[in-house]
Amino acid sequence: QVQLVESGGGLVQAGGSLRLSCAASTRTFGFGNVVMAWFRQAPGKEREFVATISQNGISTYYTDSVKGRFTISRDNARNTVYLQMNGLKPEDTAVYSCAARIPSFWTINADPKDYPYWGQGTQVTVSS
């Protein structure tokens, strides 16, 4: 079981920055065994993959629309994953959720159906 709690959302002007945090608590698995990801969902749209990071934090993968602007990172000592968002655009407005999966080995996976653990989400609103 993995429980996830996001924080850090808010209202920001276009071009601004926000850092999202996702604190994880695990009962059975150490956080260092957990692959983490961020997804987002805008009103009236399907959930969209944003970024994922490997268990040791060395490997990352981003959707094209955020490459060069967003950075995913993790601190395994703090059981926390982060999403640093710079150069925000109005089209980045969405509810951002962190998600977790516990695979045998690292692979890039952008399918939300493969992530069994989810946080409640945090709203990010970018004004123009």
Side-chain angles (χ1 to χ4, degrees):
Q1 292 289 339
V2 180
Q3 295 180 317
L4 304 171
V5 179
E6 302 97 335
S7 60
L11 173 65
V12 64
Q13 289 188 332
S17 298
L18 282 174
R19 188 176 83 154
L20 306 183
S21 299
C22 173
S25 61
T26 61
R27 294 184 180 180
T28 306
F29 302 95
F31 186 64
N33 295 311
V34 181
V35 171
M36 299 296 298
W38 287 95
F39 290 81
R40 64 187 180 185
Q41 187 167 21
K45 294 188 177 181
E46 292 187 355
R47 181 174 282 169
E48 176 189 24
F49 168 81
V50 176
T52 185
I53 188 166
S54 62
Q55 297 93 320
N56 59 12
I58 292 177
S59 299
T60 57
Y61 178 75
Y62 300 88
T63 191
D64 286 345
S65 62
V66 308
K67 284 180 181 176
R69 300 189 298 123
F70 291 11
T71 302
I72 188 171
S73 62
R74 66 190 295 161
D75 183 341
N76 284 355
R78 298 179 181 271
N79 284 17
T80 302
V81 65
Y82 305 97
L83 186 68
Q84 177 66 44
M85 304 185 295
N86 299 327
L88 282 162
K89 304 175 181 180
E91 51 264 42
D92 294 319
T93 294
V95 174
Y96 284 71
S97 299
C98 62
R101 63 187 184 97
I102 307 173
S104 299
F105 50 88
W106 159 251
T107 57
I108 295 171
N109 191 327
D111 189 343
K113 296 191 296 294
D114 291 330
Y115 289 80
Y117 307 107
W118 291 82
Q120 82 287 353
T122 185
Q123 177 70 47
V124 171
T125 303
V126 185
S127 63
S128 57

